[in-house]
Amino acid sequence: MRYFAIWASLYSLTWAQKGFGLLFQGRFNRATAEGEPVPTGWFSDAAIGIHGKRYWWGAGWEASLLWVYKGGPNEVRLPLVNQDFQSGQSTAYKAVEGAFRFGPRWQVFYPKTGCLVGYRYQHRGLSTDIQRNVNRWYAFLPLGLTIELPVQFGTTGVSTYYEIGLTNLLRRPVPTQGVYEGSKLRRFLVEIHVMWGETR
């Protein structure tokens, strides 16, 4: 009887899902150097936000709005998710991000891709050359997987992503002509989220 109840719960997830929820992310970033004056070591930040999602039996989508925090030397720094992992490196920034993700679903597994756009309204240490300005606007291509499980009020789950930077971390140098590859960010992301809503 116990196993029947478990499988019945999992089976219910093959039907519609919709609702809203909260999420928390820890992200681990690294810049592709390419000779650019950018941090060369790993650094991490945290994000908290809200999301809405709508899934049918085989596919669906979700959208989220997040606040990103990486505290400076005189600010609160969360353990592990607000650190520079290279000695002598010090980065700090705050940003807002909007993301749209979509993909298929197979029982409790949700492969996803989409697009993420962000705006850094504060930043420090992302350029190691005072003559080079940081791009405030940025975009990522997320590739990831979510495991979503039913709970009494809706669902809860864990996601992991590898996100590919689509924009240069620094602005194009003034005298540069033609194609400018620059330096882009890559990051690994771990997310914990909950959703309140309808699961049937």
Side-chain angles (χ1 to χ4, degrees):
M1 187 66 180
R2 180 178 61 182
Y3 295 110
F4 175 78
I6 292 172
W7 282 109
S9 297
L10 294 178
Y11 181 75
S12 71
L13 286 178
T14 63
W15 298 94
Q17 255 182 42
K18 63 181 179 180
F20 67 94
L22 300 173
L23 55 88
F24 176 81
Q25 296 177 347
R27 297 102 66 87
F28 300 87
N29 310 267
R30 186 155 191 183
T32 58
E34 301 293 336
E36 294 282 281
V38 296
T40 56
W42 289 89
F43 55 96
S44 61
D45 60 62
I48 188 169
I50 56 175
H51 68 156
K53 58 176 64 179
R54 181 67 187 264
Y55 278 88
W56 295 270
W57 67 270
W61 60 267
E62 63 183 63
S64 58
L65 181 65
L66 303 107
W67 179 60
V68 182
Y69 178 79
K70 172 77 160 55
N74 299 319
E75 297 178 303
V76 174
R77 287 202 170 192
L78 304 174
L80 186 61
V81 292
N82 263 196
Q83 291 189 4
D84 287 276
F85 297 98
Q86 179 169 293
S87 178
Q89 180 174 291
S90 180
T91 59
Y93 48 88
K94 298 178 182 69
V96 290
E97 293 181 356
F100 179 78
R101 297 183 174 97
F102 61 91
R105 67 180 289 198
W106 181 74
Q107 295 182 357
V108 298
F109 302 100
Y110 299 68
K112 295 177 188 174
T113 188
C115 186
L116 180 151
V117 177
Y119 177 76
R120 298 182 189 94
Y121 60 90
Q122 289 182 15
H123 61 83
R124 170 181 173 173
L126 295 178
S127 174
T128 58
D129 181 348
I130 60 173
Q131 304 298 321
R132 297 290 302 279
N133 293 322
V134 175
N135 273 326
R136 289 185 177 270
W137 289 98
Y138 58 92
F140 280 92
L141 171 68
L143 303 169
L145 176 68
T146 292
I147 298 176
E148 196 91 43
L149 297 172
V151 291
Q152 187 174 8
F153 53 81
T155 63
T156 187
V158 175
S159 299
T160 58
Y161 291 96
Y162 176 62
E163 296 191 328
I164 302 168
L166 301 177
T167 52
N168 291 320
L169 182 56
L170 304 182
R171 294 181 185 175
R172 174 195 293 264
V174 175
T176 304
Q177 301 293 326
V179 176
Y180 171 64
E181 291 299 329
S183 176
K184 298 175 175 62
L185 286 178
R186 303 286 188 266
R187 68 187 185 193
F188 292 97
L189 182 155
V190 178
E191 174 186 294
I192 299 173
H193 56 265
V194 294
M195 185 185 80
W196 291 271
E198 179 182 353
T199 303
R200 56 181 171 80

